[in-house]
Amino acid sequence: MTQNFPPEPSLSARLAAASLAVSRCFQCRKCSGGCPLTFAMDLLPDQVIRLAFLGQEEQVLGCRAIWVCSSCETCTTRCPNGIDIAGVIDWLKEEAGKQGKTASQPLVAAFHHYFLESIRKAGGRLPEARMLRRYGLFKLWRQPDLGELAGNLKLGLRLFKKGRLRLAGPEPLKNRAEIDEIFKQAEFKWQGK
Amino acid sequence: MARKVTYYPGCSLEGTALDYAASIAGVAPLLDLELAELEDWNCCGASSAHSVNQYLALALPARNLVLAEKAGQDLVVPCALCFNRLKVAEKALKGDAGARLGVSFQGAIKVWDLLDYLTQDEFLETLAGKVVKPLKDLVAVGYYGCLAARPPAVTDKKDYENPQNLERLLTALGASPRDWSFKTNCCGAGLALARPDIIDTLVQRLYDQALAAGATCLVVSCQMCQANLDLSQERISRKFGRDYYLPVFYFTELIGLALGHPQARDWLKGHLVDPRPLLDQKGLW
């Protein structure tokens, strides 16, 4: 007996549907040539694009490269075929999050969630000091490093003395309901664990 | 008559970059410029929104654009990241994103990054005419970072690989800007908390290249770059067994210094890499 499965749009088609076509890539590797983060990557940007085109979803969603990308937009700027490479990487990060596949760089993925959740809780603006504290504790729990802790505490104290770390505020917006609505529409799900 | 623009400070100018905020507020009146803060503005979502939720990445900056358009004047933004996200939203809203987000934006206002705005010809002329303490012998490299320039399809910049505004400004202030190849290379600020090890490599490269160009300091127009280059200098020196000393100035601080703003020295007190020894040595303190 044969079984029919509905066709699964390939990764490349889903990217194209999000205006992020990767099929134009002719592998000139200019993206990887200009990328300042390659030293920390497992796949180079051109390989991410190629593997995405080939539908190798497990590989591109599970790689470290998409999370250590600093979104500096050099690749997107220089691509001779107009591929928004940094945009593809953003899309892959969001998709990896949806599928719970952030294990390659959980600390980076969680940072983005701490950042956004802090904005939501504070009613529209980023409470820097609170975010630093919350994320710092999370990171310490996930990856205990007493040297880094000591360094960060010292740095925090110096910034505080210099007046660059405000413990209070920011005040919630007058129209914080609009921010709550935006987060609701975005279906933002806290994944900071 | 004073020119008036709407001003979107962004979150860090209320926190870790209070010194940048103070220098901007101090310099604007010297240029007969009135900065009217956008009322009830919200965070643009920065790199976190576009990394994990594309809807937030548009809807958060879009709200600010709608508010700014109602306010009527062009929008001036000191943070490169906020500027970039606002420009992304502007492009999207001029397309079909408005209907999706349920907002209306006609595109009647222009979004500027502060450096571009203040280095328009007329401002540079005004500045040059008001210099009381030329920054003579201050050899500097201009460090633009990433997102005020790139990608040009978003930022509408023409000289995105080799911008010259900081160099023009520094020359007008009497300083000596040096050319270098790393002026728009990334410092990785967005990874500063999660992966400081990566920052160490990226930032050390910038220090070394600035020194190789003969610079004694860096001049920035982005508070993320400033924080990253200033706050990590001691750690990077220790890690690599070097003794880096490269003060990291905001361009607005140098304008204040050259134009003799009475508070200019106070702004500089917020820096972790104390610029006083350098300025003392050049007779500028």
Side-chain angles (χ1 to χ4, degrees), chain B residues 40-56:
Chain B
D40 214 37
W41 59 269
N42 61 274
C43 174
C44 72
S47 31
S48 291
H50 73 72
S51 290
V52 296
N53 190 303
Q54 300 316 309
Y55 185 92
L56 283 180

Side-chain angles (χ1 to χ4, degrees), chain A residues 70-72 77-78 90 93-94 105 112 124-126 128 139 158 162-164 173-175 178 186, chain B residues 12 14 16 39-41 43 48 50-51 53-54 63 150 161 186 193 195 226 230 234 269-270:
Chain A
S70 67
S71 308
C72 77
T77 299
R78 295 182 184 169
D90 278 342
K93 281 186 279 195
E94 181 166 0
Q105 285 292 300
H112 297 310
R125 294 183 193 171
L126 178 71
E128 282 185 322
K139 192 177 172 190
R158 283 185 72 194
K162 296 262 182 192
R164 286 175 70 174
L173 302 191
K174 269 190 295 179
N175 288 313
E178 290 178 23
Chain B
S12 14
E14 292 190 329
T16 45
E39 206 180 322
D40 214 37
W41 59 269
C43 174
S48 291
H50 73 72
S51 290
N53 190 303
Q54 300 316 309
R63 179 177 177 273
R150 281 190 303 263
E161 290 282 8
C186 184
L193 296 179
R195 292 290 308 269
Q226 203 284 341
D230 182 39
E234 195 180 303
K269 286 178 185 156

Side-chain angles (χ1 to χ4, degrees), chain B residues 31 33-34 69 107 121 135 209 211 230 252-253 279-280:
Chain B
L31 295 167
L33 175 66
E34 188 187 336
E69 191 163 65
D121 289 344
L135 306 178
Q209 292 297 327
L211 290 170
D230 182 39
T252 41
E253 291 174 333
L279 295 174
D280 254 340

Side-chain angles (χ1 to χ4, degrees), chain B:
Chain B
M1 201 183 79
R3 274 217 254 179
K4 192 178 164 187
V5 289
T6 306
Y7 176 62
Y8 174 87
C11 302
S12 14
L13 274 82
E14 292 190 329
T16 45
L18 279 167
D19 44 358
Y20 191 20
S23 67
I24 294 166
V27 158
L30 300 177
L31 295 167
D32 208 14
L33 175 66
E34 188 187 336
L35 301 170
E37 184 169 328
L38 180 66
E39 206 180 322
D40 214 37
W41 59 269
N42 61 274
C43 174
C44 72
S47 31
S48 291
H50 73 72
S51 290
V52 296
N53 190 303
Q54 300 316 309
Y55 185 92
L56 283 180
L58 282 184
L60 289 172
R63 179 177 177 273
N64 294 310
L65 284 181
V66 172
L67 291 175
E69 191 163 65
K70 280 188 192 135
Q73 276 86 26
D74 281 359
L75 185 65
V76 174
V77 187
C79 164
L81 192 44
C82 299
F83 167 74
N84 192 287
R85 296 315 306 169
L86 289 162
K87 288 292 287 183
V88 167
E90 177 197 49
K91 302 282 175 192
L93 291 177
K94 284 181 179 173
D96 61 357
R100 208 156 19 103
L101 299 176
V103 299
S104 166
F105 175 75
Q106 309 305 319
I109 56 160
K110 186 172 170 181
V111 182
W112 293 82
D113 77 89
L114 181 71
L115 174 66
D116 252 16
Y117 192 79
L118 291 185
T119 51
Q120 295 176 87
D121 289 344
E122 60 267 40
F123 282 127
L124 277 185
E125 271 170 42
T126 310
L127 278 173
K130 287 190 172 185
V131 170
V132 295
K133 196 196 279 179
L135 306 178
K136 209 169 152 300
D137 302 329
L138 192 69
V139 185
V141 283
Y143 178 59
Y144 298 79
C146 310
L147 293 170
R150 281 190 303 263
V154 166
T155 62
D156 294 316
K157 298 290 177 79
K158 288 194 184 71
D159 47 1
Y160 50 88
E161 290 282 8
N162 187 15
Q164 299 290 332
N165 321 15
L166 280 171
E167 285 77 3
R168 278 203 298 272
L169 172 71
L170 288 166
T171 306
L173 300 177
S176 311
R178 287 285 164 92
D179 199 16
W180 67 322
S181 302
F182 284 71
K183 54 169 73 167
T184 59
N185 263 50
C186 184
C187 74
L191 293 163
L193 296 179
R195 292 290 308 269
D197 57 314
I198 289 180
I199 300 311
D200 293 345
T201 304
L202 289 173
V203 175
Q204 191 201 19
R205 196 185 286 167
L206 295 173
Y207 293 158
D208 285 342
Q209 292 297 327
L211 290 170
T216 54
C217 61
L218 293 126
V219 183
V220 300
S221 59
C222 164
Q223 83 291 346
M224 299 303 293
C225 300
Q226 203 284 341
N228 209 22
L229 296 168
D230 182 39
L231 272 46
S232 23
Q233 204 164 116
E234 195 180 303
R235 183 183 77 226
I236 292 173
S237 290
R238 212 177 320 118
K239 179 168 172 180
F240 296 105
R242 298 281 302 276
D243 197 12
Y244 289 110
Y245 175 64
L246 282 164
V248 188
F249 295 103
Y250 289 112
F251 74 103
T252 41
E253 291 174 333
L254 292 185
I255 295 177
L257 211 56
L259 270 59
H261 192 286
Q263 260 99 53
R265 291 182 207 181
D266 293 335
W267 308 332
L268 298 169
K269 286 178 185 156
H271 295 208
L272 293 199
V273 180
D274 185 0
R276 220 171 328 174
L278 172 69
L279 295 174
D280 254 340
Q281 187 202 346
K282 306 290 178 195
L284 297 169
W285 185 255

